[in-house]
Amino acid sequence: MKKRTLLLLLAALMVGLFTLSGKESVEAAEKTYKIGTDLTFAPFEFQNENNEYVGIDIDLLNEIAKDQNFSVDLRPLGFDSSIQGVQSNQLDGMIAGMSITDERKESFDFSEPYFDSGIQMAVRADEESITDYDGLKGKTVGAKVGTESATFLEEKKETYGFKVKVYDAADGLYGALRNNTVQAIFDDYPVLGYAISNGEEFKLIGEPEQGNSYGFAVKKGENSELLEKFNTGLKKLKENGRYDEIVATYIATESGDDSATMKKVEPKKEEYIIASDSAFAPFEFKNEENEYVGIDVDLMKRAAELQGFNIKFNFIGFSGALQALEGNQADGMIAGMSITDERKESFDFSTPYFESGIQVAVKEGNKSIKSYDDLKDKKVGAKIGTESADFLEANKGNYGYTIKLYDAADQLYESVKGGQIDAMMDDYPVIGYAISNGQKLATPIKRESGGEYGFAVKKGQNPELLEMFNEGIAEMKRTGEYEDILAKYISDGAAPVKKANEKTIFGLLENNWKVLLEGLGKTIALALISFALALVIGIIFGLFSVAPIRALRTFASVYVDIIRGIPMMVLAFFIFFGLSDAIGITIPDFAAGVITLTLNASAYIAEIVRGGINAVPVGQMEASRSLGMPYTRTMQKIILPQAIKIMIPSFVNQFVISLKDTTIISVIGVVELLQTGKIIVARTSQSTNVYLIIAVMYLIVITSLTKLAKVLEKKVK
């Protein structure tokens, strides 16, 4: 009996361990990491025109997360705040162009270096006299304060006979070069490369000086599995060429010559035969002139033009193209071909030239479906045997829709059009092509990621053809031709976005008015909420400060002295990082900002209340008390009505100060109006115009509030 009981216990224990192990595996597979990054450090992390965070760091992190099966909760807090976030365990890691140094290694564990940085000289594009360091003699050279560039210039100024001028930020540095205040500048070479790619009329001189490498960081001794995943994913990206592709997207190495970054490869054949599908719109299909066109066709033809080799297409269908390539009847194949491990055994693939995916589409004008949750009790269609059908089947229990399957695309699309189904799912480029060709569809839900397409050659053959294609695609992506080709065939169902010239104030307003208003809204919300709370707290402590009870007066005095004695930036850091770490609960940045502003303003409001009450002649309190009125009644009926009239101008002034103080809260990652402006400047380099717009916005709001307060003050008096 005892033996049987023991066996049952062991069995139960094993089941429990397996269950726990399985649960941990699922959790590991679905692990989400909170990753901090900088707000504005182009080209490593910055917001694009669509207010999405992009850049070398962001793209690398997203690619690695996808490959290593984890999710990223990106927190753009700024460099210093991200460092503190990792140290206080609010973040699992950070990636922000962070140099790996011995000092930082004492607090952080770093990944393998993912970028070897360095500093380089840049001059104006029309500058001819400076071709090397010797040409700097008698010139003024600029750099940013406290940077590796500034240190380098201080060491070299005696050797080469130039003067050094330093600036607080990149916009000031670049502006000085543009207006010839300095004749040359030094900065991190990727930052200069990005500026040149975005229209700065500079050119780079010489080779970069060796600098520190950048690394992904976690807190020392913690999140080792995240570091391992990052290193593994980074290694894969470097091996398959995707790493170089990402870097080339953001960094130019030369100015003026569009072909400078492209390596020319020597073709080994007079003509290459390229096999392709015969009908897979929008990648390859026949147009009205009976000519084959499409994304694959255009990309292949343009790569051949850029690299200078000849091609002949053979459109024989997907299966036929595969057989032709395997039978040496074709030199390469491009046909929307997904890169898989199984196919890699027979073929060598290019770097991925297109990332596919599936997406939900609805009839144009349908406003009831905006997310998967809105599909409940709806009919959703897909083609039989497709990735879309598999996805819908796997998720129908989560969202409560029914599925209707079709043999062909025309039936599927007509069913949406005729209302037989409420929504459909298909490959997103196919949907995009249908929209481009007049189908009245919309895509309200973000697409699901899918496989990657690659150009293929037979394993071990025609390596130069593969290299020529890779170089051509990289060049097209750098110059923007790649996006133009895709846009020619694919539409996302959204209204076209008009891009204005952001070098003008009107262009900046046209492209960014929505985000500027969002920033202003957050600024006003911070000020209003915190000031309302501060009024309550400040009035309470102000009354305490004039109370007849000594303990209350002492308590109020200590509170005011402590809050006013701590700089608001320090207070914000303490609440967001220190207090969150102490209580073990992450305080959201907006909430931490409200708390900071509330505490700061309440201390000053308490003093305003104390001063207003003390401004009422003391004889009135004495006379009231001598007539037998209690203290509280005297305050309520006699003192406070007079004191409020005295306080109102100071309250208005304090609210204006609180509104301005919201700019300080950006240090903990709250993207209010000023921080919104910094993000726009990082992308456009138009510091003068952007800050002028922000200054006018603040002026309008504050002036309006001041006028309103004066009207209120007159009514009260």
Side-chain angles (χ1 to χ4, degrees), residues 296-326:
D296 287 348
V297 179
D298 289 9
L299 289 177
M300 193 72 226
K301 285 182 177 179
R302 183 56 179 151
E305 289 175 4
L306 289 169
Q307 283 289 310
F309 63 94
N310 299 316
I311 59 172
K312 179 182 178 181
F313 269 107
N314 192 5
F315 299 98
I316 53 177
F318 190 85
S319 298
L322 281 174
Q323 293 173 32
L325 192 57
E326 288 178 325

Side-chain angles (χ1 to χ4, degrees), residues 586-604:
T586 300
I587 301 174
D589 54 10
F590 187 85
V594 168
I595 294 170
T596 302
L597 290 166
T598 297
L599 291 176
N600 185 74
S602 66
Y604 289 96

Side-chain angles (χ1 to χ4, degrees), residues 599-618:
L599 291 176
N600 185 74
S602 66
Y604 289 96
I605 288 173
E607 287 296 279
I608 291 170
V609 172
R610 184 183 66 82
I613 292 172
N614 287 338
V616 178
V618 69

